[in-house]
Amino acid sequence: YQMISLKDQLPPMGEKVLIYRPHAHLPPHKDPNFKIAKYIGEGLWIGSHFEHEITHWLPLIKPNKGAFLINKQKQYNHIFI
């Protein structure tokens, strides 16, 4: 998979995508560079601080016919059917 530059293409409005914010890890915020957010148009995102520059995005992968199970230790296991 290759991230898509916002200069080349915007993500579909209202769809959650993985975004890349190259400077988010720097003070004062010290946030992760990668995050899931939703583009709502006009340069606005739900799920990312407005001060962070977003440069790239990637569609989220939708699992095929699978189920997540939680064991007694509260760990998540993915089972493909």
Side-chain angles (χ1 to χ4, degrees):
Y1 297 97
Q2 186 172 350
M3 297 204 85
I4 302 165
S5 172
L6 286 177
K7 292 178 183 177
D8 296 333
Q9 180 183 348
L10 293 173
M13 286 201 347
E15 185 174 316
K16 289 182 181 179
V17 296
L18 180 66
I19 59 171
Y20 176 64
R21 310 168 309 164
H23 309 292
H25 67 284
L26 299 174
H29 301 290
K30 299 182 184 177
D31 288 337
N33 289 84
F34 291 92
K35 191 166 185 183
I36 294 175
K38 186 187 300 185
Y39 182 66
I40 58 171
E42 304 288 324
L44 300 174
W45 295 80
I46 294 176
S48 181
H49 194 280
F50 71 93
E51 291 180 352
H52 293 313
E53 174 192 19
I54 300 167
T55 60
H56 291 78
W57 66 278
L58 184 70
L60 296 179
I61 299 170
K62 296 179 175 90
N64 294 331
K65 294 184 182 180
F68 285 95
L69 302 176
I70 303 174
N71 63 23
K72 291 180 182 176
Q73 289 79 31
K74 300 290 183 194
Q75 296 172 336
Y76 294 86
N77 299 306
H78 187 73
I79 308 297
F80 285 100
I81 300 172

